[in-house]
């Protein structure tokens, strides 16, 4: 009664309403992708990007790159969280959409986004020698206090739309790939990754490149574009039905029969991404210089 009066002085809100804590995309993302059992994991790609892997035992030591969180039922989860996700990609999509409009061929947001993603499929496996950083904010995983979005290339690189867009997608996954090395060094085994978030609304592009970046099969469900909101709905349904079974069994039933699309890492993409990532690591010195020089 006291809580209802505090939230709603008009007395319209009645006691007994289930109330969820303000959580964010961690627990809801696990539920949205049915990734709450050990050795399962998921990647959420939006404004930020992070990967979560459900552990069957504690990590051997503390790692600055890894946060320890929990599934909704308390199983330990290793999270690699990167502040920068798809924001810089979105910014470039808006630039190209503005050009299309100026040329007399306006595109809606969804078409512009899909067109730029599809173009990335025709890029060279390593992005043609291009380099990009999607750092609109600081990035703790790579030790940068602030961000400076950056595109760099050598005179010998091949600047094409396809290479440019592939490099932008790779950039969104670069820091995540570096952070996940820590879990690999700990011997954490991931059987597959479930992906969700806005980048996966366009089928077969971000999913394919994420598989290459993580060297792990990546699965996308039809609800992938809904993000954590779908997880919220599933948890609400679990409460509504009185939690008659375990959450694991409830989710197994909820997802039964749902189509899933799994993409294994392509060998050429994998080798190309590794070349890009080596360039990305070396170029962090340029990004640090940009942070120091541009205020």
């Amino acid at each position: 009664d006291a809580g209802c009066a505090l939230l709603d002085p008009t007395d319209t809100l009645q006691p007994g309403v289930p109330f969820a804590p303000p959580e964010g995309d961690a627990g809801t993302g696990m539920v949205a992708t049915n990734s709450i059992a050990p050795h399962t994991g998921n990647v959420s790609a939006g404004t930020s990007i992070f990967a979560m892997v459900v552990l069957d035992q504690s990590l051997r030591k503390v790692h600055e790159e890894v946060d320890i969180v929990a599934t909704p039922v308390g199983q330990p989860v290793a999270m690699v969280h990167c502040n920068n996700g798809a924001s810089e990609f979105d910014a470039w999509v808006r630039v190209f959409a503005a050009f299309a409009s100026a040329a007399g061929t306006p595109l809606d947001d969804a078409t512009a986004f899909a067109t730029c993603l599809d173009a990335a499929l025709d890029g060279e496996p390593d992005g043609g020698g291009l380099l990009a950083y999607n750092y609109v904010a600081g990035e703790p995983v790579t030790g940068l206090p602030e961000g400076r979005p950056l595109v760099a290339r050598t005179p010998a690189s091949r600047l094409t739309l396809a290479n440019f867009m592939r490099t932008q997608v790779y950039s969104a996954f670069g820091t995540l790939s570096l952070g996940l090395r820590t879990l690999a060094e700990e011997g954490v085994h991931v059987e597959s990754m479930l992906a969700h978030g806005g980048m996966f609304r366009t089928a077969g592009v971000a999913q394919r490149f994420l598989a290459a970046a993580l060297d792990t099969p990546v699965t996308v469900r039809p609800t992938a574009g809904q993000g954590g909101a779908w997880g919220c709905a599933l948890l609400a349904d679990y409460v509504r039905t009185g939690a008659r079974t375990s959450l694991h069994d409830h989710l197994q039933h909820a997802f039964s029969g749902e189509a899933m699309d799994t993409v294994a890492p392509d060998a050429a993409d994998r080798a190309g991404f590794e070349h890009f990532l080596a360039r990305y690591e070396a170029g962090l010195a340029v990004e640090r210089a940009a942070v120091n020089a541009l205020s």
Side-chain angles (χ1 to χ4, degrees):
D1 292 344
C4 287
L6 176 66
L7 291 170
D8 180 15
T10 69
D11 292 331
T12 303
L13 182 64
Q14 296 298 304
V17 176
F19 198 74
E23 193 277 327
D25 276 346
T28 56
M30 297 176 210
V31 172
T33 55
N34 193 16
S35 303
I36 65 170
H39 305 299
T40 61
N42 75 87
V43 171
S44 174
T47 304
S48 64
I49 184 169
F50 56 87
M52 295 181 292
V53 179
V54 184
L55 305 173
D56 57 5
Q57 59 185 8
S58 299
L59 300 182
R60 292 190 296 269
K61 60 181 181 179
V62 173
H63 301 276
E64 290 186 2
E65 304 91 341
V66 180
D67 296 319
I68 301 299
V69 294
T71 69
V73 296
Q75 189 79 20
V77 175
M79 172 194 277
V80 175
H81 184 279
C82 306
N83 284 344
N84 300 282
S87 295
E88 181 67 357
F89 185 91
D90 289 346
W92 281 107
V93 170
R94 288 194 295 272
V95 169
F96 290 122
F99 174 81
S101 181
T105 312
L107 302 174
D108 60 65
D109 290 346
T111 302
F113 192 88
T115 300
C116 287
L117 273 177
D118 286 340
L121 292 172
D122 294 325
E124 296 174 56
D126 74 336
L130 305 182
L131 180 61
Y133 293 95
N134 62 331
Y135 289 2
V136 298
E139 193 55 80
V141 172
T142 49
L144 287 160
E146 297 179 32
R148 299 291 185 271
L150 183 67
V151 175
R153 67 188 184 97
T154 65
S157 62
R158 275 95 41 210
L159 180 58
T160 66
L161 175 64
N163 282 340
F164 185 84
M165 297 318 304
R166 181 178 282 231
T167 299
Q168 288 295 329
V169 178
Y170 278 2
S171 176
F173 299 146
T175 307
L176 184 70
S177 181
L178 293 176
L180 284 170
R181 283 181 179 175
T182 303
L183 295 184
E185 291 165 1
E186 279 270 2
V188 174
H189 174 62
V190 185
E191 294 172 355
S192 67
M193 282 287 197
L194 279 290
H196 73 135
M199 287 192 77
F200 301 100
R201 288 195 179 110
T202 301
V205 186
Q207 178 187 11
R208 169 180 156 182
F209 295 151
L210 180 62
L214 304 185
D215 197 20
T216 301
V218 173
T219 298
V220 172
R221 297 180 183 276
T223 51
Q226 304 302 320
W230 179 233
C232 290
L234 289 168
L235 287 168
D237 184 57
Y238 183 60
V239 173
R240 182 187 63 82
T241 58
R244 291 190 292 266
T245 64
S246 68
L247 179 60
H248 178 268
D249 289 345
H250 181 82
L251 294 179
Q252 294 299 102
H253 176 72
F255 284 106
S256 64
E258 186 181 60
M260 295 194 299
D261 177 41
T262 300
V263 171
D266 175 81
D269 287 343
R270 177 64 188 160
F273 183 83
E274 282 297 301
H275 283 128
F276 166 82
L277 194 62
R279 189 162 62 244
Y280 188 88
E281 280 194 278
L284 284 169
V286 179
E287 177 69 16
R288 291 190 182 95
V291 171
N292 293 330
L294 304 175
S295 60

